[in-house]
Amino acid sequence: MARAIWTGVITFGLVTVPVGLFSATEDHTVHFHQLQRGTSDRIRNRRVNERTGEEVATADIVKGFEVAEGEYVVVEPEELDGIAPGRSQTIEISDFVDLAAIEPVYFARTYYLAPRGKEYLKVYELLRSALAETNRVGLATFVMRGRQHLTALRAEDRLLVLQTLHWADEVRDPAGELPELPSDRAERGKELEMAVRLVDALSGPWDPARYHDTYQEKVRELVRAKAEGREIAAAEEPPPATNVIDLMEVLQGSLDRARSPARPSRPERGAKTSPGREAARGPARRTTEAKTAEKETAGKKTAGKKTAGKRPAARETAAGKAQGKGRGGPGGAARSELRRLSKAELYQRATDQDVSGRSRMSREELIEALAGSGRRGKSRRKTAA
């Protein structure tokens, strides 16, 4: 079980809740040791005196603020604690605001808050329920690891979440920092309409399990390949920028690709959508969605009438061709086709076919699993026939 990285109390009004703070995330970055080139000798970082070159013990290191060149004011840890008595043990809620009013750029790190004992469960749940009912967050400050944090306490299912926020003077003004920004809004027209349709076609419920850090997976694969003496393919170059002249053609191609049978059908409208977000989308958006849904339903009915009775035969023909062309036995052609896909596309297919354990598979394992899944599917169709 995880240990609290900070303990103290939450206060709002005269109500006090003893809590513990826990990290909500963990780092999965691949870490390397530093070595001297051509050897297996580790490189160590040491704290040394800049003037004498001698190593200094941790107990002999103090903090100093430079007030002039070569002149420092030394500050001891107990002096820093002394100017914030009690505050380092208290998360004092000063205001409640709407969650939607806080711009995403202000959010920094996320932590879980838990009550420090069964006797505090009722008061803890009271605060959580009040935040959930009002859809508000509590703004508070507290000190941790020698730094004061502005925080937002919000309600999740059964627990309170604390998110540290950037201070206002830490957030940069984009107008003053970025070299180029559009001066005008996109005008209503075919291009914007098609872009909206593309966004709509690619929309679905939030499922964090679908997304993976593919770069870290590639780093691990690179390490395995080098350890085994294998070569690994270099990453593909990014696609060229879209020419404004070709924008309509590119949008249409993207829309056709999003609607292709290879892509899973779009989830039902409103799935896992909070009431607040649904209200924010506005009546105009709902009207557009309703019209789009009606057109798609009519199109599916027409397509179903035209292709009724032909699909099983078409699938068997495609399966026969794929098996007949395979090099090195059945499934060879399927593997060749799968090897042309990126890992993200392979994972999407594995999700569509509900391949067990797909989230832990490498690219090669996904190919083998999908090829095997395809063969099982063909066997079932033949048995049914």
Side-chain angles (χ1 to χ4, degrees):
M1 184 176 291
R3 295 180 60 184
I5 60 176
W6 179 94
T7 56
V9 296
I10 299 174
T11 65
F12 63 107
L14 299 177
V15 181
T16 301
V17 189
V19 293
L21 190 72
F22 298 81
S23 293
T25 59
E26 59 184 3
D27 182 21
H28 66 191
T29 303
V30 178
H31 296 281
F32 294 94
H33 293 299
Q34 291 182 323
L35 307 175
Q36 184 176 357
R37 188 181 295 278
T39 73
S40 295
D41 300 338
R42 290 277 302 275
I43 303 299
R44 302 287 184 178
N45 295 321
R46 302 180 186 275
R47 294 180 172 89
V48 298
N49 185 308
E50 188 180 65
R51 180 176 55 82
T52 64
E54 296 178 357
E55 189 171 354
V56 181
T58 303
D60 294 329
I61 298 175
V62 295
K63 293 181 178 181
F65 182 84
E66 189 172 22
V67 293
E69 187 174 353
E71 185 180 345
Y72 295 86
V73 173
V74 175
V75 180
E76 299 290 346
E78 57 269 21
E79 293 177 310
L80 290 172
D81 292 338
I83 62 174
R87 295 188 67 185
S88 60
Q89 300 298 314
T90 305
I91 300 174
E92 183 179 357
I93 299 177
S94 58
D95 303 285
F96 293 93
V97 301
D98 290 336
L99 176 59
I102 305 176
E103 298 174 26
V105 70
Y106 283 93
F107 289 101
R109 300 199 62 178
T110 304
Y111 299 89
Y112 295 143
L113 283 169
R116 290 201 338 257
K118 293 183 179 180
E119 62 270 34
Y120 308 120
L121 287 173
K122 183 175 181 179
V123 184
Y124 176 93
E125 173 58 22
L126 180 68
L127 174 57
R128 192 209 66 81
S129 297
L131 292 175
E133 285 286 330
T134 58
N135 195 30
R136 287 186 172 89
V137 297
L139 295 183
T141 58
F142 82 115
V143 177
M144 180 175 66
R145 296 168 180 168
R147 181 181 175 186
Q148 187 180 37
H149 298 272
L150 176 64
T151 65
L153 276 75
R154 61 184 180 83
E156 286 289 344
D157 185 26
R158 300 177 59 194
L159 82 154
L160 287 170
V161 172
L162 179 144
Q163 291 185 281
T164 58
L165 303 174
H166 294 292
W167 300 97
D169 58 359
E170 293 179 324
V171 177
R172 294 177 173 178
D173 178 11
E177 298 290 338
L178 306 183
E180 296 290 343
L181 286 173
S183 57
D184 299 315
R185 298 283 186 181
E187 295 181 2
R188 299 298 307 184
K190 290 185 177 180
E191 291 178 351
L192 180 56
E193 181 182 345
M194 192 169 291
V196 170
R197 287 164 58 195
L198 177 58
V199 171
D200 197 43
L202 296 173
S203 295
W206 162 239
D207 179 9
R210 287 183 57 192
Y211 307 96
H212 301 268
D213 187 343
T214 56
Y215 173 71
Q216 294 301 323
E217 292 173 353
K218 289 177 181 178
V219 171
R220 291 187 176 90
E221 177 61 24
L222 173 63
V223 172
R224 283 195 297 267
K226 289 182 73 69
E228 297 168 4
R230 296 185 287 109
E231 291 186 3
I232 192 165
E236 299 178 0
E237 291 292 327
T242 301
N243 191 317
V244 177
I245 300 174
D246 304 325
L247 189 55
M248 282 296 293
E249 183 179 344
V250 172
L251 285 169
Q252 185 60 57
S254 302
L255 198 55
D256 293 342
R257 181 178 178 181
R259 291 174 171 175
S260 66
R263 179 177 171 79
S265 59
R266 188 171 55 232
E268 289 296 324
R269 295 281 174 203
K272 298 184 181 179
T273 302
S274 65
R277 289 186 182 178
E278 183 62 32
R281 292 166 73 178
R285 177 67 185 271
R286 288 195 291 271
T287 303
T288 303
E289 290 176 351
K291 291 179 180 178
T292 305
E294 288 174 4
K295 291 179 181 178
E296 289 179 354
T297 304
K300 287 177 182 176
K301 288 181 179 179
T302 305
K305 292 177 181 179
K306 291 181 179 178
T307 57
K310 296 181 181 180
R311 288 177 182 170
R315 281 200 298 267
E316 286 190 12
T317 303
K321 286 181 180 179
Q323 201 164 356
K325 290 181 181 178
R327 293 181 182 178
R335 285 188 178 84
S336 297
E337 178 190 351
L338 292 169
R339 290 186 193 282
R340 289 195 290 267
L341 302 177
S342 66
K343 185 171 181 181
E345 292 171 324
L346 291 169
Y347 184 81
Q348 184 60 57
R349 288 201 180 188
T351 302
D352 300 342
Q353 297 181 23
D354 197 21
V355 174
S356 178
R358 57 188 178 274
S359 62
R360 298 184 296 274
M361 292 184 182
S362 65
R363 187 173 183 278
E364 288 298 321
E365 289 170 338
L366 283 170
I367 291 172
E368 290 301 317
L370 287 168
S373 176
R375 288 198 297 273
R376 288 194 296 272
K378 293 168 192 173
S379 299
R380 284 196 294 269
R381 284 197 294 271
K382 288 180 180 178
T383 303

